[in-house]
Amino acid sequence: MSDGPALSDRIIPPAALSPLPALAGDVPLRWRPLRRSDARRLHGLQTAAGELDHPADAGSVGAVRHELRAPRFDPQRDGVIGLGPNGKALAAGYASLGEEPESAMPGGVPQHLEVALSGVVHPDLRGRGVGRQLLAWQEARGLQLLATSRSTLPGLLAVHSRTACVAATALYVSAGFGLERSWASLARQVEPGLPERKLPAGIRLVPFRLGHSEAVRIALNEAFRDHWGFAPIGRTEWRRQSAVGGFAPRLSVLAVEGGGATHEPLRVAAFALTELHRSEWRLRGERFGYLATIGVVRRWRGAGLSTAVIARALRAYRRRGLASAVLDVDAANPSGALAMYERLGFRERDRTVTYAKRY
């Protein structure tokens, strides 16, 4: 924790939330609190917007349901949905309070408590001020959420957008949000000539199995403790996350030490966890695997384990008949991951930026 007053002492939250527009041009809008039962309606809106905002990515109803059931998120208090005359969702927005992170490791990135602001307006209604008023509502609700916390960490209201979405960027900048972080989406073809890396003594590579799950969770929390915005994942949330996302255990690779006996427990030193987003294969024009989470515990950094687990995963991709691998990385990752991925032949194909207000 940081020294100084708590967020609840630093922030004076607005007593009322910002008004939302009753009209978008000549289209009437009826606003009401968001509900968990709105998952399909919200997914339909996100799909329509995604054709412009992220044409190569396709979300799922399951992922929306997962978001609406986040541990510290109350849809009816923290979200709104705007419906057209026929009941179709035309806009939606919400503010989601994140888990409190642990303090960063020595030399790591300073941490913060984040409220993520997620909003979407149907393409047919854009340019009519709906996004601006919706963002004001989200910001007000986000401040109310930060003001409930006794954390002494900095508070962050954060929004995310692809750099290609120029209108969204302009909206955030005009509302006073500043550039906070940049995320690169990388890809490479799965082809012969993948790098070989000699493993350190005592380390072996194995595919993910159900019995490894808890050891992977522990390793992931340790590996990402000094990464920007990371909050530890508890057992319940780990199980929740495992239920969505298309996790592919046979295409996921672990670097482990220890034999698994009581006197020599198995420990995960590094991991490359794969997801298969089959709904996006058509959008991208090829079958690909998504390296969703790659990490090395701190004491094994510099031993080449990232290269080893990635190379083993890519060989599994080839055997499965996949054409390419995709991953996302914090461009300022403290472990130098971006440069390592580029050495492995990954090249940037897209970029997302986080804009934020700090408190």
Side-chain angles (χ1 to χ4, degrees):
M1 301 284 284
S2 301
D3 295 330
L7 285 165
S8 56
D9 298 324
R10 301 201 306 266
I11 295 175
I12 300 175
L17 299 176
S18 302
L20 293 163
L23 288 172
D26 58 354
V27 178
L29 285 173
R30 177 174 63 87
W31 295 90
R32 65 161 172 80
L34 193 60
R35 304 168 186 156
R36 290 196 173 103
S37 59
D38 286 322
R40 287 193 176 278
R41 182 180 277 115
L42 184 55
H43 176 253
L45 171 60
Q46 292 176 347
T47 299
E51 293 179 3
L52 288 179
D53 299 338
H54 44 83
D57 300 321
S60 68
V61 175
V64 176
R65 288 196 181 103
H66 181 81
E67 284 188 55
L68 295 179
R69 294 183 179 276
R72 305 181 76 181
F73 177 63
D74 180 349
Q76 296 201 45
R77 297 183 63 186
D78 303 335
V80 288
I81 189 166
L83 306 176
N86 59 357
K88 181 180 178 180
L90 296 177
Y94 46 93
S96 183
L97 179 64
E99 296 290 339
E100 185 170 321
E102 295 177 352
S103 300
M105 289 182 176
V109 178
Q111 297 291 19
H112 57 265
L113 180 61
E114 179 177 328
V115 174
L117 308 183
S118 299
V120 58
V121 177
H122 195 283
D124 293 345
L125 266 64
R126 295 184 180 180
R128 306 182 191 185
V130 177
R132 175 176 50 80
Q133 290 179 264
L134 181 58
L135 180 60
W137 186 96
Q138 294 172 272
E139 185 175 346
R141 182 58 188 148
L143 285 174
Q144 289 179 341
L145 289 169
L146 285 178
T148 66
S149 174
R150 294 301 300 168
S151 172
T152 58
L153 291 170
L156 210 71
L157 297 183
V159 292
H160 310 278
S161 175
R162 290 176 59 236
T163 54
C165 296
V166 178
T169 299
L171 171 64
Y172 300 145
V173 172
S174 68
F177 287 79
L179 178 63
E180 181 74 25
R181 211 72 177 177
S182 184
W183 314 86
S185 180
L186 311 178
R188 66 153 286 169
Q189 294 301 114
V190 177
E191 55 196 16
L194 295 171
E196 293 282 354
R197 192 70 185 247
K198 184 178 180 181
L199 295 174
I203 293 289
R204 66 188 189 280
L205 299 183
V206 299
F208 180 96
R209 294 188 179 91
L210 184 60
H212 298 140
S213 182
E214 179 60 11
V216 173
R217 184 188 69 85
I218 292 169
L220 188 149
N221 282 338
E222 201 280 334
F224 284 93
R225 269 187 61 199
D226 58 349
H227 285 52
W228 186 90
F230 178 75
I233 301 173
R235 288 187 177 91
T236 299
E237 178 61 15
W238 183 244
R239 287 193 295 269
R240 264 179 25 91
Q241 291 184 11
S242 300
V244 297
F247 179 54
R250 293 183 180 180
L251 299 177
S252 299
V253 179
L254 311 178
V256 301
E257 56 180 331
T262 302
H263 67 282
E264 190 188 17
L266 181 142
R267 295 182 299 276
V268 174
F271 47 87
L273 306 181
T274 292
E275 295 175 5
L276 292 181
H277 298 174
R278 292 178 175 85
S279 61
E280 297 179 359
W281 288 354
R282 178 183 58 81
L283 299 177
R284 296 176 188 255
E286 63 182 8
R287 294 157 56 94
F288 70 94
Y290 177 51
L291 286 161
T293 313
I294 303 166
V296 179
V297 300
R298 195 171 179 89
R299 76 184 191 89
W300 279 107
R301 289 181 185 174
L305 294 186
S306 287
T307 298
V309 294
I310 291 169
R312 176 68 65 89
L314 296 184
R315 291 188 180 93
Y317 286 15
R318 284 196 71 217
R319 291 193 298 271
R320 181 68 178 267
L322 303 181
S324 66
V326 175
L327 60 85
D328 296 305
V329 61
D330 179 352
N333 184 301
S335 65
L338 178 58
M340 183 269 293
Y341 296 142
E342 289 175 337
R343 288 195 298 272
L344 290 177
F346 286 88
R347 296 294 178 262
E348 183 172 333
R349 64 172 183 81
D350 203 358
R351 187 166 285 243
T352 299
V353 177
T354 297
Y355 294 90
K357 290 186 179 182
R358 284 186 166 267
Y359 295 89

